[in-house]
């Protein structure tokens, strides 16, 4: 464990906004956590658990303890002719895990290629893309409950996964140290979602391999999502709203082009990107921040924007969507104030 006082935040968030954290604590192993709890006698309101900062917006300076998780390791804990169960340290980069598994010919997370962030952050918001979610391969995880000061195991049911949410997102008191996932050794690919089939066809690939699907997802993501190393961003800033069927039907009558998808309990998920786009925000720049020109769900820092600038922009977008469509869009990104 390494502890730094008054640390600059700009390299700890992919928006690249400046600011300071009162304390930054690097957690390098699961055994650091009980030591930390002994040493700090914690007030959990003061903690924030951070992977690599790819899904946070620091609005102000952070007046607490930032726990940056760097726990490494990928270990096989079950191996059969059909599948493999891996235990993965929370600090492993998600995309490194995807590439490792594709190289081993293990199926299940190839559609989640190039998602920024760490393995420990993946269950918090149940990361998903191109018809796959973490919950599809997840079996369990180890986490410290920082308020109770004890380590716990959560299986899939206890993790209460939903669209971009889980018990870890709603409670915000767990420090995940490792997760277990089950991957298949049998050829099973999901290419039906989004543009994957189109990209495979463009590349002339009829019978795709695991690596072909991973590469297609990378091509699609690179064509419409900005690289955080070049333009500060945190991926989708808002969640797609999930509406009651009746309201969604009324809305779709008025706006027949509104993209929609079936969601749980007969509800309907609609596209936040489309709503924002229709309000004229796509490509709009306000000072040093704006809405990405190729995807309306992504807010970007062109350089020098403050967390407050981006936050204010997000509030203005929310209000105009509410005014035009009577739909509330909520952030997917964790907004950290104070
Ligand atoms: N659209 C617009 N304007 C735009 C962008 C999109 O009208 O500027 C329309 C598209 O035409 C499409 C619909 O919106 O019909 C949906 O767009 P897209 O397929 O890009 O998906 P999304 O719902 O906007 C979600 C995830 C992404 C994930 C993609 C692909 C959320 C909040 N976002 O975006 O995840 O990569 O699907 O599966 O669920 C992330 O979480 O950071 C992220 C990038």
């Amino acid at each position: 464990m390494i502890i730094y006082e008054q640390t600059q935040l700009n390299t700890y968030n992919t928006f690249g906004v400046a600011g300071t954290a009162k304390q930054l604590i690097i957690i390098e192993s699961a055994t650091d956590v009980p030591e930390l709890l002994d040493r700090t006698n914690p007030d959990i309101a003061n903690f924030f658990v951070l992977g690599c900062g790819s899904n946070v917006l620091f609005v102000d300076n952070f007046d607490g303890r930032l726990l940056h998780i760097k726990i490494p390791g990928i270990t096989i804990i079950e191996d059969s002719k059909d599948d493999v169960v891996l235990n993965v340290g929370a600090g492993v980069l998600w995309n490194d895990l995807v590439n490792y598994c594709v190289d081993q010919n293990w199926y299940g997370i190839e559609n989640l290629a190039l998602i920024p962030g760490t393995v420990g952050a993946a269950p918090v918001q149940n990361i998903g893309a191109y018809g796959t979610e973490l919950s599809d391969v997840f079996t369990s995880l180890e986490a410290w409950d920082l308020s109770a000061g004890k380590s716990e195991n959560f299986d899939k049911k206890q993790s209460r996964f939903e669209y971009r949410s889980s018990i870890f997102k709603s409670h915000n008191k767990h420090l995940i140290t490792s997760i277990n996932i089950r991957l298949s050794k049998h050829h099973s690919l999901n290419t039906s979602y989004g543009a994957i089939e189109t990209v495979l066809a463009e590349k002339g690939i009829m019978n795709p391999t695991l690596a072909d699907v991973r590469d297609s997802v990378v091509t699609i993501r690179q064509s419409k999502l900005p690289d955080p190393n070049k333009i500060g961003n945190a991926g989708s800033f808002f969640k797609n709203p999930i509406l009651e069927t009746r309201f969604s039907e009324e809305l779709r009558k008025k706006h027949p082009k509104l993209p929609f998808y079936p969601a749980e309990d007969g509800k309907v998920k609609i596209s936040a990107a489309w709503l924002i786009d229709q309000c004229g925000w796509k490509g709009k720049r306000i000072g040093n921040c704006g809405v990405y020109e190729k995807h309306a769900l992504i807010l970007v820092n062109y350089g020098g924007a403050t967390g407050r600038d981006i936050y204010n922009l997000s509030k203005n977008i929310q209000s105009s969507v509410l005014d035009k469509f009577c739909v509330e869009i909520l952030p997917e990104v964790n907004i950290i104030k104070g």
Side-chain angles (χ1 to χ4, degrees):
M1 174 166 54
I2 311 171
I3 302 183
Y4 299 101
E5 307 292 335
Q6 286 301 334
T7 309
Q8 295 299 323
L9 282 174
N10 57 320
T11 53
Y12 290 98
N13 72 97
T14 57
F15 264 122
V17 297
T20 54
K22 192 168 173 191
Q23 202 171 53
L24 173 76
I25 302 171
I26 314 280
I27 304 287
E28 296 170 301
S29 132
T31 56
D32 283 350
V33 186
E35 194 191 324
L36 169 79
L37 294 175
D38 277 352
R39 269 164 71 164
T40 52
N41 187 18
D43 166 10
I44 64 143
N46 257 333
F47 278 122
F48 184 74
V49 181
L50 188 76
C52 57
S54 55
N55 206 42
V56 291
L57 176 65
F58 291 105
V59 179
D60 312 298
N61 289 334
F62 182 65
D63 190 29
R65 296 191 168 102
L66 209 53
L67 307 182
H68 180 42
I69 311 303
K70 295 197 80 171
I71 304 169
I74 303 177
T75 314
I76 299 176
I77 55 171
E78 274 178 51
D79 194 359
S80 74
K81 67 176 183 14
D82 296 319
D83 53 29
V84 63
V85 178
L86 303 178
N87 175 259
V88 191
V92 172
L93 289 178
W94 175 263
N95 196 46
D96 289 352
L97 176 65
V98 172
N99 288 333
Y100 174 78
C101 295
V102 169
D103 289 347
Q104 301 298 317
N105 237 7
W106 296 331
Y107 294 76
I109 54 174
E110 55 285 351
N111 290 22
L112 305 179
L114 218 63
I115 293 187
T118 54
V119 163
V124 177
Q125 54 151 348
N126 187 21
I127 57 169
Y130 305 104
T132 302
E133 286 183 338
L134 176 78
S135 57
D136 298 334
V137 295
F138 176 94
T139 59
S140 65
L141 62 73
E142 279 294 322
W144 276 83
D145 177 332
L146 295 173
S147 57
K150 61 175 192 234
S151 171
E152 287 176 77
N153 191 279
F154 289 81
D155 65 18
K156 189 164 163 175
K157 193 160 171 247
Q158 290 163 326
S159 301
R160 294 203 220 135
F161 291 118
E162 289 172 28
Y163 165 65
R164 292 300 196 275
S165 185
S166 69
I167 193 169
F168 314 106
K169 185 148 185 170
S170 38
H171 286 183
N172 196 24
K173 62 172 184 175
H174 296 101
L175 187 160
I176 295 166
T177 50
S178 71
I179 77 169
N180 292 346
I181 57 171
R182 183 184 298 276
L183 300 173
S184 174
K185 291 185 178 175
H186 298 293
H187 186 92
S188 54
L189 297 167
N190 174 7
T191 57
S192 60
Y193 189 96
I196 298 181
E197 270 168 1
T198 316
V199 171
L200 288 168
E202 276 165 14
K203 293 182 179 180
I205 297 169
M206 306 286 283
N207 296 306
T209 62
L210 192 50
D212 290 332
V213 173
R214 184 264 321 269
D215 294 346
S216 302
V217 169
V218 169
T219 305
I220 300 165
R221 289 187 75 93
Q222 284 176 337
S223 71
K224 63 179 187 180
L225 305 178
D227 177 352
N229 294 316
K230 295 184 184 139
I231 308 176
N233 77 91
S236 298
F237 193 91
F238 298 102
K239 290 192 277 196
N240 288 324
I242 296 177
L243 306 180
E244 296 297 334
T245 316
R246 238 180 80 200
F247 179 55
S248 80
E249 277 166 3
E250 283 168 28
L251 202 63
R252 278 163 45 209
K253 250 185 231 152
K254 280 193 224 153
H255 308 283
K257 288 192 175 152
L258 170 65
F260 67 97
Y261 320 89
E264 59 266 22
D265 306 330
K267 293 182 183 162
V268 177
K269 185 160 81 175
I270 61 168
S271 163
W274 189 88
L275 301 174
I276 298 168
D277 204 347
Q278 295 301 304
C279 291
W281 281 104
K282 190 165 162 180
K284 209 171 226 183
R285 180 171 176 157
I286 313 283
N288 290 326
C289 59
V291 178
Y292 190 51
E293 64 203 8
K294 294 188 197 158
H295 205 296
L297 210 48
I298 298 176
L299 304 193
V300 291
N301 176 6
Y302 290 106
T306 64
R308 181 66 58 183
D309 293 337
I310 297 168
Y311 179 69
N312 290 341
L313 171 65
S314 76
K315 286 284 167 198
N316 289 336
I317 294 170
Q318 282 175 306
S319 314
S320 56
V321 170
L322 190 62
D323 288 350
K324 191 169 166 79
F325 296 103
C326 292
V327 173
E328 188 180 23
I329 52 168
L330 295 173
E332 196 231 287
V333 164
N334 287 307
I335 311 272
I336 315 295
K337 289 189 196 161

